[in-house]
Amino acid sequence: MKTRKRFIAGAQCPECSTTDSLRWWEVNNIEWVECVSCDFKEQRTPAVKPDQLQEQEMIGIFKPE
Ligand SMILES: [Zn+2]
């Protein structure tokens, strides 16, 4: 399996503060970010799915009186 990693232009590493050293890729709908200058690595999972957001709005509209 080949994973394509892309550099994030202008992004700064929170660990070593190096600019343009961060790159990201996606595995099973999970985004990973890593720094090539240090050992920084972070998993990025989408916090709220659009489906769940819509559902919450529906519940807000139909309030029981
Ligand atoms: Zn770094």
Side-chain angles (χ1 to χ4, degrees):
M1 200 170 83
K2 204 175 178 184
T3 312
R4 194 188 280 179
K5 297 183 178 181
R6 296 178 188 178
F7 277 94
I8 306 164
Q12 192 180 50
C13 177
E15 284 288 318
C16 65
S17 298
T18 307
T19 310
D20 292 334
S21 65
L22 291 179
R23 57 182 184 177
W24 73 274
W25 67 100
E26 201 178 286
V27 183
N28 299 324
N29 292 321
I30 297 167
E31 284 182 30
W32 288 90
V33 180
E34 75 172 7
C35 177
V36 292
S37 297
C38 68
D39 291 332
F40 176 74
K41 194 177 178 183
E42 189 180 63
Q43 185 185 326
R44 286 187 173 182
T45 318
V48 183
K49 290 179 182 177
D51 293 2
Q52 290 174 334
L53 253 179
Q54 246 177 17
E55 203 172 312
Q56 279 176 0
E57 281 173 16
M58 292 285 277
I59 293 163
I61 291 164
F62 296 107
K63 280 180 189 171
E65 289 184 27

